[in-house]
Coordinates of all heavy atoms in Angstrom, one line a residue:
M1 N 78.1 -33.5 43.9 CA 77.5 -32.6 43.0 C 78.0 -32.9 41.6 O 79.2 -33.1 41.4 CB 77.7 -31.2 43.3 CG 77.0 -30.7 44.5 SD 77.1 -28.9 44.6 CE 75.6 -28.6 45.6
T2 N 77.1 -32.9 40.6 CA 77.5 -33.1 39.2 C 77.0 -32.0 38.4 O 75.8 -32.0 37.9 CB 76.9 -34.5 38.7 OG1 77.4 -35.5 39.6 CG2 77.5 -34.8 37.3
W3 N 77.8 -30.9 38.2 CA 77.3 -29.8 37.4 C 77.6 -30.1 35.9 O 78.6 -30.5 35.5 CB 78.1 -28.6 37.8 CG 77.8 -28.1 39.2 CD1 78.5 -28.3 40.3 CD2 76.7 -27.2 39.6 NE1 77.9 -27.7 41.4 CE2 76.8 -27.0 40.9 CE3 75.7 -26.6 38.9 CZ2 75.9 -26.2 41.6 CZ3 74.8 -25.9 39.6 CH2 74.9 -25.7 40.9
V4 N 76.5 -30.0 35.2 CA 76.5 -30.2 33.7 C 76.1 -29.0 33.0 O 75.0 -28.4 33.3 CB 75.6 -31.4 33.4 CG1 75.6 -31.7 31.9 CG2 76.1 -32.7 34.1
A5 N 76.9 -28.6 31.9 CA 76.5 -27.5 31.1 C 75.3 -27.9 30.2 O 75.4 -28.9 29.5 CB 77.6 -27.0 30.3
V6 N 74.2 -27.1 30.2 CA 73.0 -27.5 29.5 C 72.6 -26.5 28.4 O 71.8 -26.8 27.5 CB 71.8 -27.7 30.4 CG1 72.1 -28.9 31.3 CG2 71.5 -26.5 31.2
A7 N 73.1 -25.2 28.5 CA 72.7 -24.2 27.5 C 73.7 -23.0 27.6 O 74.4 -22.9 28.6 CB 71.3 -23.8 27.8
S8 N 73.6 -22.2 26.5 CA 74.3 -20.9 26.6 C 73.4 -19.9 27.2 O 72.2 -19.8 26.9 CB 74.6 -20.5 25.1 OG 75.1 -19.2 25.1
A9 N 73.9 -19.2 28.2 CA 73.1 -18.2 28.9 C 72.5 -17.2 28.0 O 71.4 -16.8 28.2 CB 73.9 -17.6 30.0
A10 N 73.2 -16.8 26.9 CA 72.8 -15.8 26.0 C 71.6 -16.3 25.1 O 70.9 -15.5 24.5 CB 74.0 -15.4 25.1
D11 N 71.4 -17.6 25.1 CA 70.3 -18.1 24.3 C 68.9 -18.1 24.9 O 67.9 -18.4 24.3 CB 70.6 -19.5 23.8 CG 71.7 -19.6 22.8 OD1 72.0 -18.6 22.2 OD2 72.2 -20.7 22.6
I12 N 68.9 -17.7 26.2 CA 67.6 -17.7 27.0 C 67.3 -16.3 27.4 O 68.0 -15.7 28.3 CB 67.7 -18.6 28.2 CG1 68.2 -20.1 27.8 CG2 66.3 -18.7 28.9 CD1 68.4 -21.0 29.0
P13 N 66.3 -15.6 26.7 CA 66.0 -14.2 27.1 C 65.5 -14.1 28.5 O 65.0 -15.0 29.1 CB 64.9 -13.9 26.1 CG 65.0 -14.9 25.0 CD 65.5 -16.1 25.7
V14 N 65.8 -12.9 29.1 CA 65.3 -12.7 30.5 C 63.8 -12.8 30.5 O 63.1 -12.4 29.6 CB 65.7 -11.2 30.9 CG1 65.1 -10.9 32.2 CG2 67.2 -11.1 31.0
G15 N 63.3 -13.5 31.5 CA 61.9 -13.7 31.7 C 61.3 -14.9 31.0 O 60.1 -15.2 31.1
Q16 N 62.2 -15.7 30.3 CA 61.7 -16.8 29.5 C 62.5 -18.1 29.9 O 63.5 -18.0 30.6 CB 61.9 -16.6 28.0 CG 61.0 -15.4 27.6 CD 61.0 -15.2 26.1 OE1 61.3 -16.1 25.3 NE2 60.8 -14.0 25.7
G17 N 62.0 -19.2 29.3 CA 62.7 -20.5 29.6 C 63.1 -21.2 28.3 O 62.8 -20.7 27.2
A18 N 63.7 -22.3 28.5 CA 64.2 -23.2 27.4 C 64.1 -24.6 27.8 O 64.4 -24.9 29.0 CB 65.6 -22.8 27.0
F19 N 63.7 -25.5 26.9 CA 63.7 -26.9 27.1 C 65.1 -27.4 26.8 O 65.6 -27.1 25.7 CB 62.7 -27.6 26.2 CG 62.7 -29.1 26.3 CD1 62.0 -29.7 27.3 CD2 63.4 -29.8 25.4 CE1 62.0 -31.1 27.4 CE2 63.4 -31.2 25.5 CZ 62.7 -31.8 26.5
V20 N 65.7 -28.1 27.7 CA 67.1 -28.7 27.5 C 67.1 -30.1 27.9 O 66.3 -30.6 28.8 CB 68.1 -27.9 28.3 CG1 68.1 -26.4 27.8 CG2 67.9 -28.0 29.8
E21 N 68.0 -30.9 27.3 CA 68.3 -32.3 27.7 C 69.7 -32.4 28.0 O 70.6 -31.9 27.3 CB 67.8 -33.2 26.6 CG 66.3 -33.2 26.4 CD 65.9 -34.1 25.2 OE1 66.3 -33.8 24.1 OE2 65.2 -35.1 25.5
A22 N 70.0 -33.2 29.0 CA 71.4 -33.5 29.4 C 71.4 -34.8 30.2 O 70.6 -35.1 31.1 CB 72.0 -32.4 30.3
D23 N 72.4 -35.7 29.8 CA 72.6 -36.9 30.5 C 71.3 -37.7 30.6 O 71.0 -38.4 31.6 CB 73.1 -36.7 31.9 CG 74.6 -36.5 31.9 OD1 75.2 -36.3 30.8 OD2 75.2 -36.6 33.0
G24 N 70.5 -37.7 29.5 CA 69.2 -38.5 29.5 C 68.1 -37.9 30.3 O 67.0 -38.5 30.4
L25 N 68.3 -36.7 30.9 CA 67.3 -36.0 31.6 C 66.8 -34.8 30.9 O 67.6 -34.1 30.2 CB 67.7 -35.7 33.0 CG 68.2 -36.8 33.9 CD1 68.8 -36.3 35.2 CD2 66.9 -37.7 34.3
A26 N 65.6 -34.4 31.0 CA 65.0 -33.2 30.4 C 64.7 -32.2 31.5 O 64.2 -32.5 32.6 CB 63.8 -33.5 29.6
F27 N 64.9 -30.9 31.2 CA 64.7 -29.8 32.1 C 64.1 -28.6 31.5 O 64.1 -28.5 30.2 CB 66.0 -29.3 32.8 CG 66.8 -30.3 33.4 CD1 67.8 -31.0 32.6 CD2 66.7 -30.6 34.7 CE1 68.6 -32.0 33.2 CE2 67.5 -31.6 35.3 CZ 68.4 -32.3 34.6
A28 N 63.5 -27.7 32.3 CA 63.2 -26.4 31.8 C 64.2 -25.5 32.5 O 64.4 -25.6 33.8 CB 61.8 -26.0 32.2
V29 N 64.9 -24.6 31.8 CA 65.8 -23.7 32.4 C 65.3 -22.2 32.2 O 64.9 -21.9 31.0 CB 67.2 -23.8 31.8 CG1 68.2 -22.8 32.3 CG2 67.8 -25.2 32.1
F30 N 65.3 -21.4 33.2 CA 64.7 -20.1 33.1 C 65.8 -19.0 33.5 O 66.6 -19.2 34.4 CB 63.6 -20.0 34.1 CG 62.5 -20.9 33.8 CD1 62.4 -22.1 34.5 CD2 61.5 -20.7 32.8 CE1 61.4 -23.0 34.2 CE2 60.5 -21.6 32.6 CZ 60.4 -22.8 33.2
N31 N 65.7 -17.9 32.7 CA 66.5 -16.7 33.0 C 65.7 -15.7 33.7 O 64.8 -15.1 33.1 CB 67.0 -16.2 31.7 CG 68.0 -15.0 31.9 OD1 68.2 -14.5 33.0 ND2 68.6 -14.6 30.8
A32 N 66.0 -15.5 35.0 CA 65.3 -14.5 35.8 C 65.9 -13.1 35.8 O 65.4 -12.2 36.5 CB 65.1 -15.0 37.3
G33 N 67.0 -13.0 35.0 CA 67.6 -11.7 34.9 C 68.7 -11.5 36.0 O 68.7 -12.3 37.0
G34 N 69.6 -10.6 35.8 CA 70.6 -10.4 36.8 C 71.6 -11.5 37.0 O 72.1 -11.7 38.1
G35 N 71.7 -12.4 36.0 CA 72.5 -13.5 36.2 C 71.9 -14.7 36.9 O 72.6 -15.7 37.2
R36 N 70.6 -14.6 37.3 CA 70.0 -15.7 38.0 C 69.3 -16.6 37.0 O 68.4 -16.2 36.2 CB 69.0 -15.1 39.0 CG 69.6 -14.4 40.1 CD 68.6 -13.7 41.0 NE 67.9 -12.7 40.2 CZ 66.6 -12.6 40.1 NH1 65.8 -13.3 40.9 NH2 66.0 -11.7 39.4
F37 N 69.6 -17.9 37.1 CA 69.0 -18.9 36.3 C 68.4 -20.0 37.2 O 69.0 -20.2 38.3 CB 70.0 -19.5 35.3 CG 70.3 -18.7 34.2 CD1 71.2 -17.6 34.3 CD2 69.7 -18.9 32.9 CE1 71.4 -16.7 33.2 CE2 69.9 -18.1 31.8 CZ 70.8 -17.0 32.0
Y38 N 67.3 -20.6 36.8 CA 66.7 -21.7 37.6 C 66.4 -22.9 36.7 O 66.2 -22.7 35.5 CB 65.4 -21.2 38.1 CG 65.5 -20.1 39.1 CD1 65.4 -18.8 38.7 CD2 65.8 -20.3 40.5 CE1 65.6 -17.7 39.6 CE2 65.9 -19.3 41.4 CZ 65.8 -18.0 40.9 OH 66.0 -16.9 41.8
A39 N 66.5 -24.1 37.2 CA 66.2 -25.3 36.5 C 65.1 -26.1 37.2 O 65.2 -26.2 38.4 CB 67.5 -26.1 36.3
T40 N 64.2 -26.5 36.4 CA 63.0 -27.3 37.0 C 62.7 -28.5 36.1 O 63.2 -28.6 35.0 CB 61.8 -26.4 37.1 OG1 61.2 -26.2 35.8 CG2 62.1 -25.1 37.8
S41 N 61.8 -29.3 36.6 CA 61.3 -30.3 35.7 C 60.5 -29.6 34.5 O 60.1 -28.5 34.7 CB 60.3 -31.3 36.4 OG 59.4 -30.5 37.2
H42 N 60.4 -30.3 33.4 CA 59.9 -29.6 32.2 C 58.4 -29.8 32.0 O 57.8 -29.1 31.2 CB 60.6 -30.0 31.0 CG 60.3 -31.5 30.6 ND1 59.4 -31.8 29.7 CD2 60.9 -32.6 31.0 CE1 59.4 -33.1 29.5 NE2 60.3 -33.6 30.3
Q43 N 57.8 -30.7 32.7 CA 56.4 -31.0 32.6 C 55.6 -30.5 33.8 O 56.0 -30.7 34.9 CB 56.1 -32.5 32.4 CG 56.2 -33.0 31.0 CD 55.8 -34.4 30.9 OE1 56.0 -35.2 31.8 NE2 55.2 -34.8 29.8
C44 N 54.5 -29.8 33.5 CA 53.6 -29.3 34.5 C 52.9 -30.5 35.1 O 52.4 -31.4 34.4 CB 52.6 -28.3 33.9 SG 51.4 -27.7 35.1
P45 N 52.8 -30.6 36.5 CA 52.2 -31.7 37.1 C 50.6 -31.7 37.0 O 50.0 -32.6 37.4 CB 52.6 -31.7 38.5 CG 53.0 -30.2 38.7 CD 53.5 -29.7 37.4
H46 N 50.1 -30.5 36.5 CA 48.6 -30.5 36.4 C 48.2 -31.4 35.2 O 47.5 -32.4 35.5 CB 48.2 -29.0 36.1 CG 46.8 -28.8 35.9 ND1 46.2 -28.0 34.9 CD2 45.7 -29.4 36.6 CE1 44.9 -28.1 35.0 NE2 44.6 -28.9 36.0
E47 N 48.5 -31.0 34.0 CA 48.1 -31.8 32.8 C 49.3 -31.9 31.8 O 49.0 -32.0 30.6 CB 46.8 -31.3 32.2 CG 45.6 -31.5 33.1 CD 44.3 -31.0 32.4 OE1 44.4 -30.6 31.2 OE2 43.3 -31.1 33.1
D48 N 50.5 -32.0 32.3 CA 51.7 -32.2 31.5 C 52.0 -31.0 30.5 O 52.6 -31.2 29.5 CB 51.6 -33.5 30.7 CG 51.5 -34.7 31.7 OD1 52.0 -34.6 32.8 OD2 51.0 -35.7 31.3
G49 N 51.6 -29.8 30.9 CA 51.9 -28.7 30.1 C 53.4 -28.4 30.0 O 54.2 -28.9 30.9
P50 N 53.9 -27.7 28.9 CA 55.3 -27.5 28.7 C 55.8 -26.3 29.5 O 55.7 -25.1 29.0 CB 55.4 -27.2 27.2 CG 54.0 -26.6 26.9 CD 53.0 -27.2 27.8
L51 N 56.3 -26.5 30.7 CA 56.8 -25.4 31.5 C 57.8 -24.5 30.9 O 57.9 -23.3 31.1 CB 57.3 -25.9 32.9 CG 56.2 -26.5 33.8 CD1 56.9 -27.0 35.1 CD2 55.2 -25.4 34.2
A52 N 58.7 -25.1 30.0 CA 59.7 -24.3 29.4 C 59.1 -23.2 28.5 O 59.8 -22.2 28.2 CB 60.7 -25.1 28.6
E53 N 57.8 -23.4 28.1 CA 57.2 -22.3 27.3 C 56.4 -21.4 28.1 O 55.7 -20.5 27.6 CB 56.3 -23.0 26.3 CG 57.0 -23.9 25.3 CD 56.1 -24.7 24.4 OE1 54.9 -24.3 24.2 OE2 56.6 -25.7 23.8
G54 N 56.5 -21.5 29.5 CA 55.8 -20.6 30.4 C 56.6 -19.3 30.5 O 57.6 -19.1 29.8
W55 N 56.2 -18.4 31.3 CA 56.8 -17.1 31.5 C 57.0 -16.9 33.0 O 56.4 -17.5 33.9 CB 56.1 -16.0 30.9 CG 54.7 -15.9 31.4 CD1 54.2 -15.1 32.5 CD2 53.5 -16.6 30.9 NE1 52.9 -15.3 32.7 CE2 52.4 -16.2 31.7 CE3 53.3 -17.5 29.9 CZ2 51.1 -16.7 31.5 CZ3 52.0 -18.0 29.7 CH2 51.0 -17.5 30.5
L56 N 57.9 -16.0 33.4 CA 58.2 -15.7 34.8 C 57.4 -14.6 35.3 O 57.3 -13.6 34.6 CB 59.7 -15.5 35.0 CG 60.7 -16.6 34.5 CD1 62.1 -16.3 34.9 CD2 60.3 -17.9 35.1
E57 N 57.0 -14.7 36.5 CA 56.4 -13.6 37.3 C 57.0 -13.7 38.7 O 56.8 -14.6 39.4 CB 54.9 -13.8 37.4 CG 54.1 -13.5 36.1 CD 52.6 -13.5 36.2 OE1 52.1 -13.6 37.4 OE2 51.9 -13.4 35.2
G58 N 57.9 -12.7 38.9 CA 58.7 -12.8 40.2 C 59.5 -14.0 40.2 O 60.3 -14.3 39.2
A59 N 59.4 -14.8 41.3 CA 60.2 -16.0 41.4 C 59.4 -17.2 41.0 O 59.7 -18.3 41.5 CB 60.7 -16.1 42.8
S60 N 58.4 -17.1 40.2 CA 57.6 -18.2 39.8 C 57.5 -18.3 38.3 O 57.6 -17.3 37.6 CB 56.2 -18.1 40.3 OG 56.2 -18.1 41.7
V61 N 57.3 -19.6 37.8 CA 57.0 -19.8 36.4 C 55.5 -20.0 36.3 O 54.9 -20.7 37.1 CB 57.8 -20.9 35.8 CG1 57.6 -22.2 36.5 CG2 57.5 -21.1 34.3
I62 N 54.9 -19.4 35.2 CA 53.5 -19.6 35.0 C 53.3 -20.6 33.8 O 53.9 -20.4 32.7 CB 52.8 -18.3 34.6 CG1 53.2 -17.2 35.7 CG2 51.3 -18.5 34.5 CD1 52.8 -17.5 37.1
C63 N 52.6 -21.7 34.1 CA 52.4 -22.7 33.0 C 51.5 -22.1 31.9 O 50.5 -21.4 32.2 CB 51.7 -23.9 33.6 SG 51.4 -25.2 32.4
P64 N 51.9 -22.3 30.7 CA 51.2 -21.6 29.6 C 49.8 -22.3 29.3 O 49.0 -21.7 28.6 CB 52.2 -21.8 28.4 CG 52.9 -23.1 28.7 CD 53.1 -23.0 30.2
W65 N 49.6 -23.4 29.8 CA 48.3 -24.1 29.5 C 47.1 -23.5 30.3 O 46.1 -23.2 29.8 CB 48.4 -25.6 29.6 CG 49.1 -26.2 28.4 CD1 49.7 -25.5 27.4 CD2 49.2 -27.6 28.1 NE1 50.2 -26.4 26.5 CE2 49.9 -27.7 26.8 CE3 48.7 -28.7 28.7 CZ2 50.1 -28.9 26.2 CZ3 49.0 -30.0 28.1 CH2 49.7 -30.0 26.9
H66 N 47.3 -23.5 31.7 CA 46.1 -23.1 32.5 C 46.5 -22.1 33.6 O 45.8 -21.8 34.4 CB 45.5 -24.3 33.2 CG 45.2 -25.5 32.3 ND1 46.0 -26.6 32.2 CD2 44.2 -25.6 31.3 CE1 45.5 -27.4 31.2 NE2 44.4 -26.8 30.7
G67 N 47.8 -21.6 33.5 CA 48.2 -20.5 34.4 C 48.6 -20.9 35.8 O 48.7 -20.0 36.6
F68 N 48.7 -22.1 36.1 CA 49.2 -22.5 37.4 C 50.6 -21.9 37.6 O 51.4 -22.0 36.7 CB 49.2 -24.0 37.6 CG 47.8 -24.6 37.8 CD1 46.7 -24.0 37.3 CD2 47.7 -25.8 38.5 CE1 45.4 -24.6 37.4 CE2 46.4 -26.3 38.7 CZ 45.3 -25.7 38.1
D69 N 50.9 -21.5 38.8 CA 52.3 -21.0 39.1 C 53.1 -22.0 39.9 O 52.6 -22.7 40.7 CB 52.1 -19.7 40.0 CG 51.6 -20.0 41.3 OD1 50.4 -20.6 41.4 OD2 52.3 -19.9 42.4
F70 N 54.4 -21.9 39.7 CA 55.3 -22.8 40.4 C 56.5 -22.0 40.8 O 57.2 -21.4 40.0 CB 55.7 -24.0 39.6 CG 54.6 -24.9 39.2 CD1 53.9 -24.7 38.0 CD2 54.1 -25.9 40.1 CE1 52.8 -25.5 37.7 CE2 53.0 -26.7 39.8 CZ 52.3 -26.5 38.6
D71 N 56.8 -22.1 42.1 CA 57.9 -21.3 42.7 C 59.2 -22.0 42.2 O 59.4 -23.2 42.3 CB 57.9 -21.4 44.2 CG 58.9 -20.5 44.9 OD1 60.1 -20.7 44.7 OD2 58.5 -19.6 45.6
L72 N 60.1 -21.1 41.7 CA 61.4 -21.7 41.1 C 62.4 -22.1 42.1 O 63.3 -22.8 41.7 CB 62.0 -20.6 40.2 CG 61.2 -20.2 38.9 CD1 61.8 -18.9 38.3 CD2 61.2 -21.3 37.9
T73 N 62.2 -21.8 43.3 CA 63.1 -22.2 44.4 C 62.6 -23.4 45.2 O 63.4 -24.2 45.6 CB 63.5 -21.1 45.3 OG1 62.3 -20.5 45.9 CG2 64.2 -20.0 44.5
T74 N 61.3 -23.5 45.4 CA 60.7 -24.6 46.2 C 60.0 -25.6 45.4 O 59.8 -26.7 45.8 CB 59.8 -24.0 47.3 OG1 58.6 -23.5 46.6 CG2 60.4 -22.9 48.1
G75 N 59.5 -25.2 44.2 CA 58.7 -26.1 43.4 C 57.2 -26.1 43.7 O 56.4 -26.7 43.1
G76 N 56.9 -25.3 44.8 CA 55.5 -25.3 45.2 C 54.6 -24.5 44.3 O 55.0 -23.6 43.5
C77 N 53.3 -24.8 44.4 CA 52.3 -24.2 43.6 C 51.2 -23.5 44.5 O 50.7 -24.2 45.4 CB 51.6 -25.3 42.7 SG 50.3 -24.6 41.7
K78 N 51.0 -22.2 44.3 CA 50.0 -21.5 45.1 C 48.5 -21.8 44.6 O 47.6 -21.8 45.4 CB 50.2 -20.0 45.1 CG 51.5 -19.6 45.9 CD 51.5 -18.1 46.2 CE 51.8 -17.3 45.0 NZ 53.2 -17.2 44.6
V79 N 48.4 -22.1 43.4 CA 47.0 -22.4 42.8 C 46.5 -23.7 43.4 O 45.4 -23.8 43.8 CB 47.0 -22.4 41.3 CG1 45.7 -22.8 40.7 CG2 47.4 -21.1 40.7
D80 N 47.4 -24.7 43.4 CA 47.0 -26.1 44.0 C 48.2 -26.5 44.8 O 49.2 -27.0 44.3 CB 46.7 -27.0 42.8 CG 46.3 -28.4 43.3 OD1 46.6 -28.7 44.5 OD2 45.7 -29.1 42.5
E81 N 48.0 -26.4 46.1 CA 49.1 -26.8 47.0 C 49.5 -28.2 47.0 O 50.6 -28.6 47.5 CB 48.8 -26.3 48.4 CG 48.8 -24.8 48.6 CD 48.5 -24.3 50.0 OE1 48.3 -25.2 50.9 OE2 48.4 -23.1 50.2
G82 N 48.7 -29.0 46.3 CA 49.0 -30.5 46.2 C 50.0 -30.8 45.0 O 50.5 -31.9 44.9
L83 N 50.3 -29.8 44.2 CA 51.2 -30.0 43.1 C 52.5 -29.3 43.3 O 52.6 -28.3 43.9 CB 50.6 -29.3 41.8 CG 49.2 -29.8 41.3 CD1 48.8 -29.1 40.1 CD2 49.3 -31.3 41.0
T84 N 53.6 -30.0 42.9 CA 54.9 -29.5 43.0 C 55.7 -29.9 41.8 O 55.4 -30.9 41.1 CB 55.7 -30.0 44.3 OG1 55.8 -31.4 44.2 CG2 55.0 -29.6 45.5
I85 N 56.8 -29.2 41.5 CA 57.7 -29.5 40.4 C 59.1 -29.7 41.1 O 59.4 -29.2 42.1 CB 57.8 -28.5 39.3 CG1 58.2 -27.1 39.8 CG2 56.5 -28.4 38.6 CD1 58.5 -26.1 38.8
A86 N 59.9 -30.5 40.4 CA 61.3 -30.7 40.9 C 62.1 -29.4 40.5 O 61.9 -28.8 39.5 CB 61.9 -31.9 40.2
V87 N 63.0 -29.0 41.4 CA 63.8 -27.8 41.2 C 65.3 -28.3 41.4 O 65.6 -29.1 42.2 CB 63.5 -26.6 42.1 CG1 62.1 -26.1 41.8 CG2 63.6 -27.0 43.6
Y88 N 66.2 -27.8 40.6 CA 67.6 -28.2 40.6 C 68.5 -26.9 40.7 O 68.2 -25.9 40.1 CB 67.9 -28.9 39.3 CG 67.0 -30.1 39.0 CD1 66.0 -29.9 38.1 CD2 67.2 -31.3 39.6 CE1 65.1 -31.0 37.8 CE2 66.3 -32.4 39.4 CZ 65.3 -32.2 38.5 OH 64.4 -33.2 38.2
P89 N 69.6 -27.0 41.4 CA 70.5 -25.8 41.5 C 71.0 -25.5 40.1 O 71.3 -26.4 39.3 CB 71.6 -26.3 42.4 CG 71.0 -27.4 43.2 CD 70.0 -28.1 42.3
A90 N 71.1 -24.2 39.8 CA 71.6 -23.8 38.5 C 72.6 -22.6 38.7 O 72.4 -21.9 39.6 CB 70.5 -23.4 37.5
R91 N 73.6 -22.5 37.8 CA 74.5 -21.4 37.9 C 75.1 -21.1 36.5 O 74.8 -21.9 35.6 CB 75.7 -21.8 38.8 CG 76.6 -22.9 38.2 CD 77.6 -23.4 39.2 NE 78.5 -24.4 38.6 CZ 79.5 -25.1 39.3 NH1 79.7 -24.8 40.6 NH2 80.2 -26.0 38.6
V92 N 75.8 -20.0 36.4 CA 76.4 -19.7 35.1 C 77.9 -19.6 35.2 O 78.4 -19.0 36.2 CB 75.9 -18.3 34.6 CG1 76.6 -17.9 33.3 CG2 74.4 -18.4 34.3
V93 N 78.6 -20.4 34.4 CA 80.0 -20.4 34.4 C 80.5 -20.1 33.0 O 80.1 -20.9 32.1 CB 80.6 -21.8 34.9 CG1 82.1 -21.8 34.9 CG2 80.1 -22.0 36.3
S94 N 81.3 -19.1 32.8 CA 81.8 -18.7 31.5 C 80.7 -18.7 30.4 O 80.9 -19.2 29.3 CB 82.9 -19.7 31.1 OG 84.0 -19.7 32.0
G95 N 79.6 -18.1 30.8 CA 78.5 -18.0 29.8 C 77.6 -19.2 29.5 O 76.7 -19.1 28.7
R96 N 77.9 -20.3 30.2 CA 77.2 -21.5 30.1 C 76.3 -21.7 31.3 O 76.8 -21.6 32.5 CB 78.1 -22.7 29.9 CG 79.0 -22.6 28.7 CD 78.3 -22.8 27.4 NE 77.7 -24.2 27.3 CZ 76.9 -24.6 26.3 NH1 76.5 -23.7 25.4 NH2 76.4 -25.8 26.3
V97 N 75.1 -22.1 31.1 CA 74.2 -22.5 32.3 C 74.5 -23.9 32.7 O 74.5 -24.8 31.8 CB 72.7 -22.3 31.9 CG1 71.9 -22.7 33.1 CG2 72.4 -21.0 31.4
E98 N 74.8 -24.1 33.9 CA 75.1 -25.4 34.4 C 74.0 -25.8 35.4 O 73.6 -25.0 36.2 CB 76.5 -25.5 35.1 CG 77.6 -25.3 34.2 CD 79.0 -25.4 34.9 OE1 79.0 -25.4 36.1 OE2 80.0 -25.4 34.2
V99 N 73.6 -27.1 35.4 CA 72.6 -27.6 36.3 C 73.2 -28.7 37.1 O 74.0 -29.5 36.6 CB 71.4 -28.1 35.5 CG1 70.4 -28.8 36.5 CG2 70.7 -27.0 34.8
D100 N 72.9 -28.7 38.4 CA 73.4 -29.8 39.3 C 72.5 -31.0 39.2 O 71.4 -30.9 39.7 CB 73.5 -29.3 40.7 CG 74.2 -30.3 41.7 OD1 74.8 -31.3 41.2 OD2 74.0 -30.1 42.9
L101 N 72.9 -32.0 38.4 CA 72.0 -33.1 38.2 C 71.8 -34.0 39.4 O 72.8 -34.1 40.2 CB 72.5 -33.9 37.0 CG 72.6 -33.2 35.7 CD1 73.1 -34.2 34.6 CD2 71.3 -32.7 35.3
P102 N 70.6 -34.5 39.5 CA 70.4 -35.4 40.7 C 71.1 -36.7 40.6 O 71.5 -37.1 39.5 CB 68.9 -35.6 40.7 CG 68.5 -35.4 39.2 CD 69.4 -34.4 38.7
Ligands
LIG201 S1 49.0 -28.2 32.4 FE1 50.0 -26.6 33.5 S2 48.4 -25.5 34.5 FE2 47.4 -27.1 33.4

């Protein structure tokens, strides 16, 4: 495991995401509230929409372009089961969001 700090937890409001880059990789990081953060790929697999600009509904992020949903834990999409996003373990340590890079 390679945990890398990618953002300040305080900089990402509850229910929203942020685009971050670390070690040459780009991610979307989401704050689901209660200290729960999720990290996913940043591009929507539908038409490359910016997932970090999406919003959370339950345990899913909704793409801002056409409203497709992606589960933050599995990467699965209920609108189109053929689409998935990458998901990465995320945690908060001393106020910093860390992502376990692949
Ligand atoms: S680009 Fe994300 S739903 Fe279309």
Side-chain angles (χ1 to χ4, degrees):
M1 291 194 154
T2 305
W3 292 97
V4 175
V6 297
S8 169
D11 288 345
I12 307 174
V14 173
Q16 296 183 25
F19 175 84
V20 299
E21 292 178 296
D23 279 13
L25 298 172
F27 305 91
V29 175
F30 299 96
N31 181 353
R36 291 172 299 132
F37 284 78
Y38 297 92
T40 72
S41 48
H42 69 94
Q43 272 187 326
C44 178
H46 178 226
E47 291 183 0
D48 299 334
L51 286 179
E53 297 175 19
W55 57 92
L56 301 187
E57 288 184 6
S60 295
V61 56
I62 309 301
C63 179
W65 280 10
H66 310 103
F68 286 27
D69 66 299
F70 296 92
D71 188 298
L72 294 169
T73 57
T74 67
C77 179
K78 288 197 285 281
V79 176
D80 183 339
E81 294 181 357
L83 298 179
T84 59
I85 59 173
V87 295
Y88 307 97
R91 67 184 183 186
V92 176
V93 177
S94 300
R96 301 285 295 169
V97 182
E98 295 183 348
V99 175
D100 186 14
L101 296 183

